[in-house]
Amino acid sequence: MLLLPMKTVIEPIKIKSIEPIPITTVGQRKKLIKEAFYNTFYLKSENVTIDLLTDSGTTAMSASQWGRIMEGDEAYAGSKSYYKFENAVKGFTNYKFIIPTHQGRAAERILFTIIGGKGKAIPSNTHFDTTRSNVEYSGAKAMDFPTKIGIMPEVVDDFKGNMDIEALEAFIKKTGKENIPLCMLTVTNNSGGGQPVSMKNIRDTKSLLKKYGIPLYLDCCRFAENAYFIKLREKGYEKKSVKEIAVEMFSYADGCLMSAKKDGLSNTGGFIGTNDEKISNKAKELLIITEGFTTYGGLARRDLEALAVGFEEVFDENYLRYRVEQVKYLGDKLIEAGVPILVPTGGHAVYLDAKRFAPHILPEYFPGQSITCEIYVTGGIRVVEIGSVMFGRKDKNGKHIAPPMELVRCAIPRRVYTESHINYTAEAIIEVFKSRNKLRGMKIVWEVPFLRHFTAKFDYI
Ligand code: F0G
């Protein structure tokens, strides 16, 4: 690789096809957010200027992915596209069985239907919301063991996504290994701020689990970003390629679940990878009942082509450098203006620390939701609350139990926005921060029992 003697990190891509973005007024947005019940999931994308709701399935695909889409072999069974996909996935996971699904949560539902159920517990560094719901829906308990530093948004550390190994071991002893069918590790840790997990922590988690005969599965939707952070921050990995690092990460696990809508650099897809033939057979059975045949799993075969290419492109270290630098660029602009964010910035998003941003709003009045609405009104930017709305619970007496952190996630879609879009985003968030005293608490006026944040309706108190 030719290394240029330049400091500026450029987008290592140029624009070939464009899509106009809507520009609205503050007056219009006040009305629109009210009509959306103050929940950004109800906004129509035609009314969103910069969409930072998620980095999932929002990737801009490359010319070579679009080209390969034309090569999709739409055969129901034994499609050529499936074998290209399988080959690409085995290239970094080395798992024996690869079962495609239409997205990550389909893989979760299938796996936890097989191994979950009442009396079982699934520990993790931190489960993502759909993972937690699929575990709980099966009747099992979803347990989180982040490290102490992992839940301190203001403390800088290299691997804040790590598992607390001691707490995990205490939990195994208390619960009994026979009640823990497997342990998950989310790389990077999305709900914990997009923070990476170190190779040492993956290795240590594995050796602890081995002692008790419990398999380890990675929730690996952002594995390439995690591997890149290992290269940047963990001793001994500086000279390894990101692909080599990824291969080592997967080598310590017995299987994985992936939402390929993230580091698959595609708009849809997912899979289960496993070395366990029994799990694989059972998963294929369930797959056929609700998703589709084993060589497409609910996807169009052309999507498998796009993924096969995505799994090559994601290892491009110029891409990964630009990716994490773009996230950091937004984070640095906010820090410079005094906006409290979770530090250091992770792989796919900047997380505002709502507790410090709006300390006058108690967690039960959803400070993150209030900030989210104001960011939309100010700049037409759509972000999402990751705090009491998403993970809050009620105790027996109806009292609010808050999660450890109240965050607002500004997720950056891959290869979509330019530096001026990021500048504009920073400006809007800084505006909201300057008038933070005017932010008001909120209440939920309607909700469902599982994954309420997607559809809950809010109003100001
Ligand atoms: N695991 C993690 C860590 C995730 O971030 C997601 C999705 C899933 C599993 C489920 O995958 O959406 O394909 O069904 N995260 C998206 C997000 C929705 O916005 O962070 P899915």
Side-chain angles (χ1 to χ4, degrees):
M1 185 172 59
L2 177 68
L3 283 175
L4 300 172
M6 304 285 286
K7 284 203 202 86
T8 311
V9 179
I10 57 167
E11 288 99 348
I13 46 174
K14 59 184 178 176
I15 296 164
K16 186 171 200 127
S17 177
I18 58 102
E19 183 182 343
I21 53 178
I23 308 288
T24 50
T25 64
V26 169
Q28 288 167 332
R29 295 194 291 264
K30 276 189 179 156
K31 190 163 166 278
L32 289 163
I33 193 74
K34 189 169 180 214
E35 284 167 6
F37 311 103
Y38 300 103
N39 183 342
T40 49
F41 281 100
Y42 282 115
L43 287 170
K44 291 185 177 161
S45 67
E46 65 183 26
N47 297 319
V48 176
T49 303
I50 306 278
D51 205 345
L52 308 184
L53 184 73
T54 180
D55 63 319
S56 179
T58 51
T59 305
M61 289 208 291
S62 67
S64 111
Q65 285 177 298
W66 284 111
R68 280 278 291 276
I69 278 192
M70 282 307 292
E71 291 179 33
D73 165 14
E74 299 300 338
Y76 187 100
S79 160
K80 276 189 281 196
S81 307
Y82 169 74
Y83 293 105
K84 289 188 230 171
F85 162 82
E86 186 196 39
N87 192 40
V89 173
K90 284 190 172 173
F92 57 91
T93 64
N94 284 309
Y95 296 140
K96 283 194 207 126
F97 309 101
I98 306 297
I99 298 142
T101 58
H102 78 274
Q103 64 180 90
R105 69 198 70 180
E108 291 164 0
R109 185 191 59 80
I110 290 171
L111 183 68
F112 298 122
T113 302
I114 300 169
I115 56 104
K118 232 177 151 42
K120 299 276 176 7
I122 315 288
S124 172
N125 48 347
T126 310
H127 288 285
F128 182 64
D129 61 350
T130 59
T131 327
R132 171 179 311 284
S133 294
N134 274 298
V135 169
E136 290 175 352
Y137 201 77
S138 82
K141 267 198 194 141
M143 305 297 300
D144 293 341
F145 298 101
T147 58
K148 286 183 188 69
I149 236 173
I151 51 173
M152 292 179 185
E154 68 288 359
V155 179
V156 176
D157 203 28
D158 284 343
F159 292 104
K160 289 171 77 177
N162 281 356
M163 174 85 85
D164 183 337
I165 310 259
E166 269 177 37
L168 175 64
E169 179 153 34
F171 177 75
I172 297 171
K173 283 185 180 154
K174 195 176 85 189
T175 311
K177 59 180 185 197
E178 63 288 358
N179 298 316
I180 305 176
L182 59 81
C183 175
M184 302 285 309
L185 203 45
T186 313
V187 295
T188 58
N189 186 356
N190 185 10
S191 313
Q195 300 295 310
V197 179
S198 71
M199 192 71 88
K200 177 172 186 315
N201 191 254
I202 301 176
R203 215 184 291 125
D204 290 350
T205 304
K206 174 65 189 176
S207 41
L208 172 73
L209 294 171
K210 209 171 168 185
K211 202 164 100 186
Y212 293 96
I214 300 169
L216 172 65
Y217 275 59
L218 299 181
D219 178 347
C220 66
C221 32
R222 299 179 181 86
F223 72 92
E225 289 168 9
N226 199 94
Y228 186 62
F229 279 118
I230 290 178
K231 180 175 173 112
L232 293 183
R233 298 180 182 170
E234 194 162 347
K235 224 170 156 258
Y237 290 93
E238 308 82 353
K239 296 219 170 72
K240 296 213 159 148
S241 73
V242 173
K243 187 160 183 182
E244 283 170 326
I245 296 172
V247 167
E248 185 178 337
M249 283 165 55
F250 285 98
S251 75
Y252 300 122
D254 305 276
C256 67
L257 295 176
M258 180 167 191
S259 166
K261 298 168 74 176
K262 285 86 168 170
D263 277 350
L265 298 183
S266 296
N267 303 125
T268 194
F271 64 87
I272 302 172
T274 183
N275 282 331
D276 185 326
E277 192 166 4
K278 274 198 196 130
I279 287 186
S280 165
N281 287 341
K282 193 77 197 144
K284 285 179 184 167
E285 203 182 312
L286 292 176
L287 189 80
I288 293 173
I289 296 172
T290 59
E291 291 279 309
F293 189 62
T294 55
T295 54
Y296 73 89
L299 292 162
R301 275 56 74 201
R302 54 182 172 273
D303 296 325
L304 295 168
E305 291 281 344
L307 284 166
V309 180
F311 286 133
E312 285 166 27
E313 292 179 353
V314 79
F315 290 115
D316 173 356
E317 291 176 26
N318 288 324
Y319 156 72
L320 284 165
R321 179 176 183 222
Y322 137 77
R323 171 82 181 136
V324 305
E325 286 288 336
Q326 188 178 44
V327 173
K328 184 171 177 296
Y329 177 77
L330 174 59
D332 286 349
K333 278 196 164 295
L334 296 177
I335 291 171
E336 214 174 282
V339 180
I341 67 164
L342 188 152
V343 286
T345 46
H348 68 291
V350 171
Y351 294 68
L352 311 178
D353 182 358
K355 274 191 197 165
R356 284 183 292 151
F357 197 116
H360 59 291
I361 305 177
L362 293 173
E364 58 258 51
Y365 300 120
F366 309 123
Q369 194 66 20
S370 183
I371 296 168
T372 297
C373 291
E374 211 45 42
I375 291 175
Y376 175 69
V377 170
T378 305
I381 298 160
R382 170 154 69 173
V383 296
V384 71
E385 195 263 12
I386 300 209
S388 277
V389 175
M390 196 180 271
F391 293 118
R393 292 274 189 277
K394 287 199 178 96
D395 71 9
K396 275 186 248 131
N397 308 317
K399 204 170 165 286
H400 181 74
I401 310 170
M405 295 190 281
E406 299 290 336
L407 305 171
V408 171
R409 188 184 73 174
C410 314
I412 317 270
R414 292 167 181 78
R415 313 190 286 202
V416 170
Y417 291 119
T418 64
E419 191 171 314
S420 81
H421 293 128
I422 302 291
N423 290 339
Y424 173 90
T425 300
E427 186 183 335
I429 296 173
I430 293 165
E431 266 321 296
V432 174
F433 183 65
K434 280 187 192 152
S435 47
R436 60 194 177 279
N437 294 336
K438 287 197 216 128
L439 290 167
R440 285 182 291 150
M442 309 194 84
K443 62 182 176 192
I444 292 181
V445 293
W446 185 85
E447 65 179 300
V448 293
F450 278 94
L451 295 170
R452 67 175 178 181
H453 56 285
F454 286 118
T455 53
K457 297 178 181 175
F458 298 85
D459 206 345
Y460 287 100
I461 46 171

